[in-house]
Amino acid sequence: MIGSVLLLILLVASYLFVAKVMDFDNSESLIFATLTICPIGYLYFEFVIFGSFYVNYAYLSLLMIGVILMHVKNDDISRKKYLINYIIVIFIGITMGMTGLKYAIFPVGPLVIASFIVLWVYIHNNPEKIKEFNIRQYRLFFSSVAAAISFVAGLIFNMTVLTNNYSFETQSYIEWGEFSFTNIMKGIFEYLSQFGYQFDNHIWLLSRETSNISCFSIQGIANLFGIIMAVSIVFSVIRLIKRYSDLNFLQQIIVVVFLCSMFTGCVMFNLTRGYDTCTQYWSPLVAFTFLILQIEISTEKYSF
């Protein structure tokens, strides 16, 4: 129990660290950080709050993203601090790789994809800047690549040393499955269901089962909260994409990384045999989602 509490404290602290780097309001950040350890959905409660299975994925992912954002944010820091930032990124990347493949789905894979997209768009619009390697777009790309390389190094250590000295399950059973638009939509709904909606303790939103949950029971009220959260997330993502040019650079990175995470998640969790029946694998992305909601709340100017 003490270990579980410490892990949850690390999750809250890692969220507050990212929020601090992004200069969010402290009171808002504390609210969203607290939500990361709330039982917002049945599976999220079972696998994260109660079981502590995915807390390490969530807080290490946030730490990695926070360190990279801190590296990108400061244009005038010394080479010594640059080196320290890279050492931290490499250390976290190796740690991630030593635990297995899932970190490639989030955050390592999305970070590399997002950094390439951000750099390509910038160079396309400013071709004269292609050799200015100290710009923040290049720093984002280089630090993301460093994270990926260190992750692969840790993964190689996992596959060559750890698997020969310890007994644990490997990912050798994973195979590509059939592409289906229904699977993609199912995956998106499974992700949204992490925020509270359920049928008789099941979270398959596309299920044909009849729900026996009363609307005015505790579970029924939780379902209402889940619907509100799902609508809020979809609305926030649409608005942030529409207002992308109005966001600052760090906020833009978070939006692009989130979209790339949804892409990699839909591919791996729904187009493969092995991950396709494990909805709880979306759990590490829940804490990151609150960054999206906080960006929307912090930057939106409503005109009724």
Side-chain angles (χ1 to χ4, degrees):
M1 290 180 65
I2 293 174
S4 297
V5 171
L6 291 176
L7 281 174
L8 294 177
I9 291 174
L10 280 173
L11 178 56
V12 171
S14 61
Y15 184 95
L16 291 175
F17 168 63
V18 179
K20 181 69 175 178
V21 173
M22 298 186 67
D23 297 322
F24 282 144
D25 178 78
N26 291 332
S27 57
E28 288 181 0
S29 299
L30 187 59
I31 293 173
F32 282 103
T34 304
L35 285 175
T36 64
I37 59 170
C38 289
I40 51 180
Y42 176 77
L43 276 186
Y44 191 77
F45 168 75
E46 181 178 354
F47 286 97
V48 177
I49 309 303
F50 182 75
S52 299
F53 292 158
Y54 295 96
V55 182
N56 58 329
Y57 287 97
Y59 88 79
L60 274 178
S61 299
L62 288 174
L63 282 180
M64 171 71 80
I65 291 169
V67 173
I68 289 178
L69 290 181
M70 186 169 60
H71 179 67
V72 170
K73 177 182 178 181
N74 300 314
D75 292 323
D76 55 351
I77 62 175
S78 63
R79 291 185 177 181
K80 181 179 179 180
K81 290 185 177 180
Y82 271 3
L83 180 61
I84 292 174
N85 284 343
Y86 273 112
I87 291 174
I88 296 173
V89 167
I90 292 171
F91 176 77
I92 297 175
I94 292 175
T95 304
M96 288 178 169
M98 288 171 61
T99 68
L101 189 62
K102 292 191 188 76
Y103 282 108
I105 304 170
F106 176 75
V108 177
L111 270 171
V112 174
I113 298 171
S115 65
F116 177 80
I117 292 173
V118 170
L119 178 62
W120 183 85
V121 171
Y122 181 80
I123 296 300
H124 178 74
N125 294 329
N126 304 275
E128 72 280 1
K129 303 285 187 178
I130 192 170
K131 294 185 179 180
E132 296 184 13
F133 297 112
N134 195 39
I135 58 176
R136 47 192 182 174
Q137 287 81 2
Y138 270 117
R139 293 204 300 272
L140 172 64
F141 179 74
F142 291 148
S143 56
S144 299
V145 170
I149 293 174
S150 58
F151 169 77
V152 172
L155 191 60
I156 293 173
F157 182 78
N158 172 291
M159 297 169 64
T160 57
V161 177
L162 298 183
T163 54
N164 294 325
N165 292 277
Y166 300 94
S167 177
F168 52 85
E169 188 176 12
T170 67
Q171 284 88 17
S172 59
Y173 58 88
I174 300 173
E175 300 174 347
W176 287 111
E178 180 183 356
F179 178 85
S180 170
F181 182 74
T182 301
N183 283 345
I184 296 295
M185 293 304 300
K186 175 172 167 283
I188 294 174
F189 280 116
E190 286 175 356
Y191 155 72
L192 292 174
S193 70
Q194 292 281 329
F195 296 89
Y197 198 85
Q198 64 187 67
F199 285 105
D200 298 329
N201 291 341
H202 295 286
I203 43 70
W204 305 100
L205 289 189
L206 298 185
S207 173
R208 296 181 181 274
E209 298 177 16
T210 301
S211 173
N212 294 322
I213 297 176
S214 171
C215 288
F216 300 102
S217 65
I218 294 178
Q219 288 180 321
I221 295 173
N223 277 5
L224 179 61
F225 177 80
I227 293 173
I228 293 173
M229 286 295 297
V231 172
S232 300
I233 292 167
V234 173
F235 174 81
S236 297
V237 171
I238 293 173
R239 285 293 298 164
L240 290 174
I241 292 174
K242 185 177 180 180
R243 298 186 299 105
Y244 181 81
S245 59
D246 297 329
L247 305 177
N248 66 41
F249 186 62
L250 298 186
Q251 294 166 352
Q252 290 177 344
I253 293 173
I254 294 296
V255 172
V256 179
V257 170
F258 176 80
L259 294 175
C260 293
S261 300
M262 291 299 298
F263 169 76
T264 57
C266 285
V267 169
M268 292 304 299
F269 299 154
N270 301 283
L271 301 182
T272 62
R273 300 185 183 97
Y275 283 159
D276 55 332
T277 58
C278 299
T279 308
Q280 67 269 16
Y281 288 157
W282 285 105
S283 298
L285 193 56
V286 169
F288 189 77
T289 305
F290 288 120
L291 288 173
I292 292 293
L293 295 175
Q294 190 168 359
I295 292 173
E296 168 63 15
I297 290 175
S298 302
T299 62
E300 186 70 76
K301 293 181 175 61
Y302 296 102
S303 176
F304 294 100

